[in-house]
Structures are given as structure tokens and as C-alpha cells.
Amino acid sequence: FDRLWAPEDDKKLTAKAKVDWKAMNDEEAEDFLGYSTKHVKSLDEQALDKLKAKAKKKRMPLVVDVSFPWCSKCKDTRDMFEVAARKLHKKAYFGYVDAREERRLSRSFQTDCTHVCTYHVLPQGEAEFTEVEAKSGEKSSQFIKKLERHLKPALTAAKNIEAIRKAASKFGAAIVSTFHTAKHPQETLAMRKASMQFRDAAFMQLSDKKAAKALGGEEWVYAVMKKNKKVVLPFPRDQELTESNLIDFAKKAIAPPLTLDYTFEKRLPLEKSKIPVAKIYVKETMKNNDPFLSIIKRVSKKFQGRIATLVCSTEPYHMDMVDAGLPKDKFPAIAIHDKLEGRPPESLRYAYVAGVVADDFSEESVSTFYSEYLQGKLHPSFKSQPDPGKKWQHGTVMEVVHSMLGKKILGYNHGMDDVVGDVVLMAYKNWSPNKDKHNATMERLATILRDTGIVVATFDSYENFFDNQVFQVEDEHWQECRVYLIAGGEATPEVRKPILVADGSKESSLPLTQGNILKQLKAKLPEIQQEWNTIKDNVAEVRRQVAEEKERNKKEAEEAKKQAEEEAEKLEEKLKSIPKIDCTKDEDNGVIKQTIKEGTGDVPKKGDQVEAHYTGTLLDGTKFDSSRDRDETFKFPLGASQVIRCWDMAFATMKVGEKAVLTCQPEYAYGERGSPPTIPPDSILRFDVELVSFTPSGSNDKDEL
């Protein structure tokens, strides 16, 4: 519409049509008629040019609202703008442009009607407008504070150290250049550009040589922080003084050195700063006089602008402890993250090992940990299960955890001294489809390849860090089991590159089968070709063993089924002589209890903690679960719907020591869906139960059936 209506582009439309602006409104709404204060001038294009010229001559900044009068979302922010004009009219000129009437100005300011209201500031002595966002519901004082940061020139002259410290207090940090502007025009230009792009910090030019010595003694760029004005942080010597690097430096300088009681709102400044973050994991909120917190406060102050410290005292923020290689339940603990957000390898984590191993949280040791991180002396830490500690034998599957992966399997960072040789590794997750079937395939492969020296291994990629880049996985949410070949390679490779030879997805061209994996190995490994006849003999032996085991399992299943049927018949016969008690309120025979042995005392009440033994079977005697087989009682709160309905109903009628048989219709058990794979849909279930004990409500022990 803007392009069609633009008079300078094509006057045909304007000559034939007139815009009915009110007809565009879905609802009748009053248009904004302009500001009531005299401090905001209504401007057209000519008036704006005059006001800009006046501002330049008087060395005053200019603040302009360019918006559509029908925009109701601007109401709150216009109120803030008017308050700002009343308060700051001696420091800046204020103006309003009706974007509906002044179409060319509207396009030049790229005005639109979005959820974000933007005001335009022409700082003192600058040629380009900058933008300041105003949020609906924001306090006027907050908006005014943001405006004030844009009124002065982006790069200001600093007379002395005291002026720098005042600026640091006001802005959060002062970024100070001591370069001679004439001798170092490139560095000065980078400072000027950075200051115009990032106004949350004060960018300053210091010419006084004596004051410059107090900062660092040589021509360079330094940061003076708000919270710690005595610490002067030099711009990194190994970085080029560019606009983008200076902005990153300023963001780190204004980052809060210590954040207590971490919340989502407090996350934003740390995330924007891209500063490394030391997370301090504590069990609960610490008091101000806590000795450990006092140490953390002193350490965080030392490293302000280089490492931000964040105290995580609630459970949701403890979840990434394991990802950083820390025990999940040992407090306090510390880990430094390259970035607040992000996962390896983009953002690495470094666990404070001395805290885990020796409970050493002295100020000296924690400070050393921070320093060694900045010096690049620490090795990153990753999520890993404990080392199984098993001595691997040929013909068996090696269980690999992350702490073994780099050293024994991939060979990176350690050379090849400890590497085990050629490896066939299956990566899986606990919920991977057909995981048990694929594990059985790997066990057979271990037997088949036992004479080749090839290691067959498995790796739980959920309980251990799995590098998607190293293993060439594009979908980070992959589910299917994946099999890789990691071949011997050169004597000292940086990383032995895994090659995908099979995966468990249905559409895969590399199916996860014994035959395909052997075929892939034969094509890629000369030793497999040499040992192929032996491998074929091993395959025949494994097939024979599998067939024998299958036949044996079939016979055992038939015998177990026969025995279960006989026991079910005996129980059915026994139950014929035992009275039936309907435990349902509607007496629809949905839950029938038949007492085998009477109990004593009272029955449990709703909310009481029940302790029971049980054996669950189908009507044909097939057992699907038993606490007795596990030699462990089952506990649950009565009437809390944490078990199937028939249990809540039946146990409410039982006494301690009572043994009974429950017959439960599907609607009181697992219903139409059943509980695959052990309980078919619409199954009538039978439970042989015993009420071992119960305790009054209030116990926290509970399981789920």
C-alpha cells in the first residue's frame, strides 16, 4: 500500500482515489490527536528539518515519535513519552510525526504498527537517528533512563578518572580508549562505531596522559566496572580492536559479577553479554553471612567482566550439573560454562574437580580454578556414567561410558597408547525402538568376531554426552540405535572418525542386522576379509546356538504355561468355596475380593501409606508382575489414584496380615488399552495380595503401579 500510494513514485492513484482512513478501522476508536504538553512539537517534513538544524546549532539531542494515530498499542508508551518530554525538555527537543499524514517521513523511519513501540533519538553531535524501544507496562522511570543513555554523544571525552567512574556508575561500565586519536584513527573509528551501536555502556576517550597511566600506562582500551571501580580490565591483547569485538567486550563489562536467586528475568543480561558463567550449585538459598557465600562474593568481584558468577539454589537449575560432569546430588559444586545457554561443543563446561574430590572450596583454590579457565589450562568435562571397571574379554560386549570414549575408542587428546583397536560401537538411548533386539545382535557379533581382535561395544548416549558432530548426526533428537565402525587409522590421529555402518530406522539403506554389519566390515577392514572363513564358521555356530536357545526357550515357555494353567485351575477350584465380597460402590462385581487368610486390627483410611505384597496374573495363570519375585514390598497412598482403581477399593477393606485374591474387571484395571506388552487390552486380572502394614497419612514414600 505504501508503494502504491507514494506520490513521488506514481501520482495516478492519488489523482483518482481518496483514502477513507476511518473505513479501515475494524472498530470505532478515537485517533491520537497529538501530545498535550507544549514540550512535544507536532512536525511535518519541513518542521522536522528545521528542528534538526536547531538541535545541531544548539548542540541539543532530538527525540521523535513517528507513529500512526490509530495504533492503540502505543497508548501506554505515549504516556511515558509525554512524561519524558516534561522531565527532559531542558536536555533535549521532542517532536511528534503523524505517520498517516506524513507518508514519506513514515517510510524513511520505517514505521510500522507492531507490538514493539520505537522512538527515534538523534544524539548530540551525531548525524543518524538511533532507536529506543518502549514496552507497554514499563515504568516511565525505566524508559527515561534508556532515553538518557541515547541523548549524549556515543563517544564522549573523559576529563579525568573521576569522570570515568561516574560514567561507570551510571551506565554499568565505562569503556575507555587512551589512544591518541590522530595517531590511531582506525582504533578511534572502531570505538566510535561500537559506541553508536551499543549504548548500554559508556564509551569514552581519555586524552590526559597522567590519567591514562592510572588505567594501564599504555595506549589501549580498558573497562572500568560499576560494581568494582578499582579493577581495570584491559581489552584482550589477542583480539583485534574491531567494532564487534569492542561491543562484546562492553557486554561482558556490564554483566553483573554475581547473581543470587537465579530467575528467568536475571538470565537475560547474562545471556546477552555472552560472558563465561560460573554456576555455583547449592542445595538451598544461602544466608548473607554464610562463609561459603562470602568466599564466592570475593572471588566473583576479582573476576568481574571476565567471568560472571551465578548461584543456583533451586532444583530446576540443578538439572545441568550432570551435563557438566558433576555428581547430581553433591553440594556445593561449581562448573564454568563458556556461555550461559548452549550445549557442547558450542558451549563447553568445566567442572571444579577439587570441590568434588576433596571438598576444597577455599578462596585460593576457587580463584585458581577461575584463573586456569581464563588461561585455557582446564579440560572440558562432560556427562558420563561411572567407569564400569570391568576387564573386557574377547567375545563379550564392552560397555563404554564417555570417560572411556575419548581415551579408548576415539583416541583424541590422548594419542593412541590406550586405544583398543578397531571398534564396532552401537549408540542407543533407553527408549530407542527395538533396543533389546539390537543389543542381542551386538552380543552375537561379539561372539562371531572374537578371533579378529575387533571390539564390539555399546554406548548409552542419553546417560553420557554424545557429540553429534563427531558422529555425524544431523538430527539431535534422534531415536534409533546407530552402529559405527571406528577403525585403527594412523599412529596418532587427532580423532578417529566414526563411520556409520547401520542404523535402526525402517527406511535405512544400512539396516541394523547381523548380516549387513558383517558385510560392511568385510568391505572396510582387510582383516575381516582375511578371517572371513573363520567368521563364517562362527556365524554357523551362533546360528546353531540361537536355534538351540530358541527351542529351549520354547520348551520352557510351554512348561511354564502348562504349570501356570494347572495352578490357575487349582486356584479356581479353591476359590469356589471362598465367599466373594464385591468391593465396588455400585456392587457391579467389578472388583471381587476372596479372603484366603484373615487379618487383624483396623482397615486403612484414605491417604494412609499402604505396604503390600502381590502377584499379578491373567486368568490363564500367566504372571505379568510380582513384588515377591523382587523380594520387595510395594508402597502407595490409599485412595490417591496412584494405583489402578481395584487396588484402592480392595485394600480399603483389608486388615494387616490379610491375604486375599482379587479379581478385577478391565474397567477397574487397565481398561481397553491394557498395559503392553504384558497385559493385553480388555484383560480381567487376578491379584494374589497381602496387606503387610499401613501407616497414617503423611509419609512421603510412594511407588507407582
Side-chain angles (χ1 to χ4, degrees):
F1 175 83
D2 282 354
R3 288 195 296 274
L4 286 172
W5 194 252
E8 66 270 24
D9 296 336
D10 188 350
K11 294 186 178 181
K12 292 180 181 179
L13 184 61
T14 57
K16 296 182 179 181
K18 182 179 179 182
V19 178
D20 184 356
W21 295 103
K22 289 188 176 180
M24 296 176 64
N25 295 334
D26 294 330
E27 299 177 359
E28 288 294 330
E30 291 185 8
D31 286 352
F32 178 65
L33 300 177
Y35 289 93
S36 60
T37 176
K38 64 180 181 180
H39 302 302
V40 181
K41 306 296 183 184
S42 293
L43 305 171
D44 57 16
E45 192 169 354
Q46 186 177 6
L48 177 61
D49 288 340
K50 287 183 178 180
L51 192 57
K52 284 170 65 177
K54 181 180 179 182
K56 183 178 181 181
K57 183 178 180 180
K58 297 287 187 179
R59 297 186 61 79
M60 287 276 281
L62 172 61
V63 187
V64 182
D65 169 18
V66 185
S67 60
F68 293 103
W70 64 69
C71 185
S72 59
K73 294 184 177 66
C74 294
K75 184 181 184 308
D76 288 350
T77 59
R78 284 188 180 123
D79 291 342
M80 289 191 290
F81 187 82
E82 185 160 326
V83 171
R86 292 176 187 276
K87 185 169 184 179
L88 302 177
H89 69 275
K90 292 183 179 180
K91 296 182 179 180
Y93 295 133
F94 286 80
Y96 165 64
V97 174
D98 185 332
R100 180 178 66 185
E101 300 298 334
E102 302 297 330
R103 305 299 291 172
R104 186 154 56 184
L105 280 180
S106 172
R107 288 195 299 278
S108 68
F109 281 97
Q110 297 181 340
T111 306
D112 56 15
C113 196
T114 65
H115 293 290
V116 179
C117 296
T118 304
Y119 295 93
H120 307 273
V121 180
L122 184 63
Q124 177 187 331
E126 295 184 16
E128 300 293 333
F129 279 93
T130 65
E131 294 183 350
V132 178
E133 287 186 1
K135 299 177 182 178
S136 181
E138 188 176 23
K139 292 181 179 179
S140 296
S141 58
Q142 294 174 316
F143 175 66
I144 291 171
K145 191 174 182 180
K146 285 193 292 186
L147 269 184
E148 285 185 304
R149 289 181 177 178
H150 288 70
L151 298 183
K152 291 184 178 180
L155 183 62
T156 58
K159 295 180 180 179
N160 49 42
I161 294 296
E162 188 58 33
I164 293 171
R165 288 175 177 166
K166 284 182 179 179
S169 295
K170 185 175 181 180
F171 284 82
I175 311 302
V176 185
S177 169
T178 59
F179 284 108
H180 190 285
T181 55
K183 294 180 181 178
H184 298 276
Q186 188 172 349
E187 289 81 357
T188 303
L189 179 61
M191 279 285 290
R192 186 174 298 280
K193 287 183 175 180
S195 66
M196 294 174 69
Q197 291 297 319
F198 186 73
R199 293 180 180 264
D200 287 342
F203 284 79
M204 310 185 81
Q205 182 71 45
L206 180 63
S207 302
D208 187 275
K209 292 183 178 180
K210 290 183 179 179
K213 284 183 180 180
L215 292 181
E218 59 179 308
E219 291 185 313
W220 198 243
V221 174
Y222 303 90
V224 177
M225 272 77 73
K226 175 180 180 179
K227 298 280 186 180
N228 197 2
K229 299 169 195 167
K230 293 182 180 179
V231 173
V232 176
L233 182 65
F235 182 86
R237 301 284 177 176
D238 57 347
Q239 290 186 18
E240 188 179 356
L241 274 163
T242 63
E243 175 188 347
S244 60
N245 286 342
L246 281 166
I247 290 173
D248 287 342
F249 179 60
K251 287 179 178 178
K252 290 179 173 63
I254 66 171
L258 177 64
T259 302
L260 301 171
D261 300 325
Y262 181 43
T263 61
F264 181 81
E265 290 75 16
K266 293 180 180 179
R267 173 183 67 84
L268 294 176
L270 292 174
E271 189 176 352
K272 287 180 179 179
S273 72
K274 299 180 182 179
I275 192 172
V277 176
K279 289 191 176 182
I280 314 296
Y281 301 98
V282 293
K283 188 69 174 175
E284 55 190 18
T285 303
M286 294 181 291
K287 296 179 180 178
N288 282 329
N289 59 354
D290 187 289
F292 176 65
L293 181 58
S294 299
I295 290 172
I296 295 303
K297 285 180 177 179
R298 291 195 293 271
V299 172
S300 66
K301 197 170 183 179
K302 289 180 191 176
F303 292 89
Q304 183 179 359
R306 294 174 291 170
I307 299 174
T309 300
L310 173 63
V311 177
C312 302
S313 58
T314 56
E315 191 170 330
Y317 301 114
H318 296 159
M319 293 175 67
D320 60 0
M321 288 178 67
V322 176
D323 293 333
L326 292 166
K328 64 180 180 181
D329 53 1
K330 192 176 191 307
F331 299 95
I334 306 175
I336 296 178
H337 298 233
D338 284 341
K339 299 176 185 175
L340 180 62
E341 299 294 329
R343 301 177 61 189
E346 290 80 13
S347 175
L348 298 176
R349 294 94 182 257
Y350 302 81
Y352 177 52
V353 179
V356 177
V357 176
D359 286 325
D360 183 358
F361 292 98
S362 65
E363 183 176 343
E364 181 182 358
S365 296
V366 176
S367 297
T368 300
F369 172 61
Y370 277 47
S371 295
E372 289 182 346
Y373 167 80
L374 293 172
Q375 295 165 15
K377 293 182 178 180
L378 301 179
H379 291 294
S381 52
F382 299 93
K383 182 179 183 179
S384 180
Q385 292 173 299
D387 191 321
K390 300 176 184 176
K391 187 175 181 180
W392 175 77
Q393 295 180 338
H394 288 286
T396 63
V397 176
M398 177 186 286
E399 182 185 348
V400 175
V401 299
H402 187 272
S403 59
M404 301 164 54
L405 188 66
K407 186 175 182 180
K408 290 183 176 292
I409 308 299
L410 297 176
Y412 56 77
N413 298 332
H414 299 279
M416 296 293 290
D417 295 340
D418 297 314
V419 172
V420 294
D422 296 334
V423 179
V424 179
L425 177 75
M426 183 179 83
Y428 68 92
K429 296 176 181 177
N430 284 331
W431 55 87
S432 293
N434 302 312
K435 183 192 71 173
D436 293 340
K437 175 185 173 183
H438 297 323
N439 271 327
T441 299
M442 298 302 287
E443 289 174 0
R444 293 196 298 273
L445 279 172
T447 302
I448 293 168
L449 299 173
R450 63 180 181 269
D451 301 317
T452 64
I454 294 175
V455 175
V456 177
T458 58
F459 181 78
D460 186 334
S461 62
Y462 176 74
E463 296 295 340
N464 300 273
F465 171 68
F466 182 80
D467 194 328
N468 289 328
Q469 291 185 4
V470 170
F471 285 90
Q472 306 156 59
V473 180
E474 294 182 1
D475 181 8
E476 63 176 291
H477 303 294
W478 61 274
Q479 305 291 330
E480 294 81 6
C481 297
R482 304 170 67 89
V483 178
Y484 294 88
L485 169 64
I486 298 119
E490 301 294 330
T492 56
E494 182 182 352
V495 178
R496 298 203 298 173
K497 186 177 180 180
I499 302 169
L500 182 69
V501 294
D503 76 73
S505 58
K506 293 180 180 179
E507 65 278 4
S508 174
S509 59
L510 298 170
L512 206 164
T513 62
Q514 174 183 300
N516 172 62
I517 295 173
L518 289 173
K519 179 182 176 182
Q520 295 292 323
L521 296 181
K522 183 181 179 182
K524 293 174 170 48
L525 297 176
E527 56 265 42
I528 293 294
Q529 298 175 15
Q530 296 169 6
E531 298 288 339
W532 193 246
N533 289 332
T534 302
I535 289 173
K536 287 198 295 185
D537 292 341
N538 290 345
V539 169
E541 178 188 345
V542 166
R543 284 177 177 168
R544 185 173 62 255
Q545 291 174 353
V546 170
E548 290 175 355
E549 183 180 1
K550 189 175 181 180
E551 185 64 28
R552 185 167 57 252
N553 290 341
K554 182 181 177 181
K555 288 181 179 180
E556 289 176 356
E558 288 175 350
E559 290 175 1
K561 184 178 180 181
K562 183 179 179 181
Q563 184 179 354
E565 289 174 348
E566 290 174 354
E567 291 179 356
E569 289 177 4
K570 290 179 182 178
L571 178 61
E572 197 67 44
E573 189 65 31
K574 183 178 180 180
L575 292 176
K576 288 180 180 179
S577 60
I578 299 175
K580 296 180 179 180
I581 301 173
D582 189 344
C583 298
T584 63
K585 291 182 179 180
D586 298 333
E587 297 184 352
D588 58 7
N589 292 320
V591 181
I592 297 297
K593 183 185 80 167
Q594 292 173 277
T595 302
I596 306 297
K597 178 188 174 184
E598 295 289 346
T600 58
D602 298 325
V603 297
K605 298 177 182 178
K606 184 177 180 180
D608 288 351
Q609 196 74 10
V610 169
E611 181 180 10
H613 262 311
Y614 70 93
T615 299
T617 63
L618 305 179
L619 285 184
D620 65 3
T622 302
K623 185 193 300 184
F624 58 81
D625 194 13
S626 175
S627 65
R628 296 183 178 97
D629 290 349
R630 295 190 296 271
D631 195 24
E632 183 180 353
T633 58
F634 181 82
K635 298 176 183 178
F636 67 97
L638 187 66
S641 300
Q642 292 192 8
V643 293
I644 53 179
R645 292 172 65 198
C646 63
W647 273 47
D648 274 334
M649 293 177 178
F651 277 97
T653 69
M654 295 177 66
K655 299 178 180 180
V656 174
E658 181 178 345
K659 295 182 180 180
V661 174
L662 311 180
T663 303
C664 306
Q665 296 299 315
E667 58 268 31
Y668 291 95
Y670 291 97
E672 296 178 355
R673 298 181 63 182
S675 182
T678 55
I679 301 176
D682 288 318
S683 293
I684 299 174
L685 304 183
R686 185 161 276 162
F687 292 97
D688 178 356
V689 299
E690 175 188 359
L691 178 57
V692 177
S693 68
F694 69 86
T695 55
S697 59
S699 172
N700 291 324
D701 296 332
K702 64 180 181 181
D703 297 320
E704 290 186 3
L705 178 62

